[in-house]
Amino acid sequence: MMLKQQCLICSSVLIPVSLSSILFATILALFLVVASNRSLAAEYVIGTDPWPPFTIMEKGVPSGIDVDFLKEIEKRLPDVTFRFEEIPWVRALHYMETGRIDAITGLAKRPDREKYITYTSPPYYSDCSSRFYMRKGLGQYIKQYEDLYHFEVGYVVNSAYFDPFDTDEKLNKYSVTHEEQLLKMLGNGRLDVIIGTNCQVDYDIKLSGLLGRFEQAEYRPGNNVHLYLGLSKKSAITEILPQLNQVIQQLKDEGVIDKIAEKYFK
C-alpha cells in the first residue's frame, strides 16, 4: 500500500514536470526561430563623407537627411539594416569599386561610376542645382559660362556637377577633397570662385555664420542635381534593388523625403 502511494505521488510529480518540459521546449523553439530570422537580416555598410545637411557626423554619430531617409527604408524593409562608416569621399568611391562597402548616398550620376555602381531609381532628392560662388560683390563678373575661363575655379575632386564643366579641360580648376576647404579658400582670397551644390553650400554658409560674405555668380548652369542611393555592383545589396526602388518611390510619392529635408533646411 505504501508503494502504491509512492507511485501515485511520483505520477503526480511527473505530470507537471512533463508539462514544464514541453513549455520550455516550445519557448526555446520560438526563440530559435526568432534568432534565426534575425540572423537572416542583412546589414549593409554605407560609406559617408560629412556633407551637411545630408550627412552630418558629430562625435562619430551620423544624422542628416540621408540618415533619416535610410531609417525610413529600414522601417519598410524590416530584414534590412544600414550602418554608416565615415570614409573620405575619394576612398569611399574606391571602396565601392572593390566592394568593401555596399552603398553611398548623395551620389550624382557619372558615366565612369556606372561601371561599378548601380543606381537606385528614382533619385531620392532632386531639389539641388550647381552654382558658382564668389565673395560678396564679385558675382557680376561671371555672367556666362565663358567667363569662367578668366578664373581659377575650386571644386571637389571626383564630384559630378554638370556638363560641360566636368569634362572641360580648358578650365583652370583647383581640386580639394572637401567642400569645407573651398569655402575657407574663397574666404581668405586663395580662390575667386568655387562651384558647389547650392542646397549644401547655402546650408554650410548659414551654419558657419558666413551669411553676407559670399554670393552666387550671375551665371547659373540651370541644371538639377539628382541625388541617388548608389549600390556597389560587387555587393549583395544589388539583390534587393527592386525593393529599394519601390520603397524610394513610395517615400517620394508620400512626401516623406520632402518632410525630412524641410526639417533640416529650416
Side-chain angles (χ1 to χ4, degrees):
M1 187 67 178
M2 181 64 67
L3 181 61
K4 186 176 181 180
Q5 286 180 338
Q6 288 177 341
C7 289
L8 287 173
I9 293 172
C10 290
S11 298
S12 65
V13 173
L14 285 173
I15 291 174
V17 170
S18 179
L19 290 175
S20 298
S21 299
I22 294 172
L23 181 61
F24 175 77
T26 302
I27 293 173
L28 179 60
L30 289 172
F31 173 79
L32 291 174
V33 169
V34 172
S36 176
N37 287 337
R38 286 181 177 175
S39 67
L40 292 176
E43 181 184 72
Y44 300 108
V45 177
I46 309 295
T48 184
D49 193 18
W51 198 54
F54 292 92
T55 51
I56 303 167
M57 298 294 289
E58 294 181 355
K59 296 181 179 180
V61 179
S63 61
I65 295 172
D66 290 356
V67 177
D68 291 353
F69 158 60
L70 291 182
K71 286 180 180 178
E72 289 294 331
I73 293 179
E74 288 179 333
K75 290 178 185 178
R76 302 185 185 216
L77 298 177
D79 291 335
V80 172
T81 60
F82 299 105
R83 175 167 58 86
F84 279 82
E85 283 191 9
E86 187 174 354
I87 305 170
W89 179 244
V90 176
R91 190 186 306 167
L93 289 173
H94 174 66
Y95 285 175
M96 287 285 284
E97 191 169 3
T98 62
R100 184 167 175 177
I101 60 176
D102 302 294
I104 289 181
T105 57
L107 197 63
K109 277 190 177 181
R110 277 178 46 161
D112 56 326
R113 293 175 183 170
E114 293 187 82
K115 297 175 183 177
Y116 58 93
I117 291 176
T118 297
Y119 291 84
T120 53
S121 180
Y124 65 91
Y125 198 79
S126 300
D127 292 339
C128 298
S129 301
S130 298
R131 292 286 190 274
F132 293 94
Y133 290 81
M134 305 183 78
R135 289 185 298 282
K136 190 71 174 179
L138 299 179
Q140 60 181 316
Y141 290 105
I142 300 180
K143 298 179 182 293
Q144 56 188 354
Y145 182 85
E146 287 70 24
D147 293 334
L148 293 170
Y149 292 113
H150 303 299
F151 299 92
E152 185 176 32
V153 184
Y155 75 104
V156 176
V157 66
N158 280 353
S159 290
Y161 297 105
F162 70 95
D163 286 325
F165 179 86
D166 292 339
T167 56
D168 193 342
E169 296 181 356
K170 295 180 181 179
L171 285 173
N172 183 18
K173 300 179 186 178
Y174 184 90
S175 65
V176 300
T177 58
H178 200 276
E179 276 85 1
E180 187 180 63
Q181 296 170 269
L182 290 179
L183 280 178
K184 288 181 180 179
M185 295 178 72
L186 185 62
N188 62 28
R190 291 181 61 190
L191 288 170
D192 288 323
V193 56
I194 64 172
I195 187 174
T197 305
N198 65 335
C199 52
Q200 188 277 325
V201 178
D202 291 345
Y203 179 90
D204 208 13
I205 289 173
K206 182 177 180 181
L207 190 68
S208 303
L210 299 174
L211 285 173
R213 292 192 58 188
F214 308 111
E215 66 183 22
Q216 295 182 10
E218 290 187 18
Y219 166 66
R220 297 186 175 190
N223 66 320
N224 276 82
V225 177
H226 301 291
L227 301 179
Y228 295 84
L229 173 62
L231 316 179
S232 169
K233 289 188 176 181
K234 290 190 176 182
S235 168
I237 195 172
T238 55
E239 297 175 3
I240 61 169
L241 176 63
Q243 296 95 309
L244 290 172
N245 288 342
Q246 183 178 16
V247 169
I248 292 171
Q249 187 65 63
Q250 290 173 352
L251 294 174
K252 288 174 68 73
D253 291 344
E254 296 170 14
V256 174
I257 298 176
D258 288 338
K259 290 179 182 178
I260 291 173
E262 184 180 5
K263 178 179 68 174
Y264 287 92
F265 286 119
K266 276 190 174 181

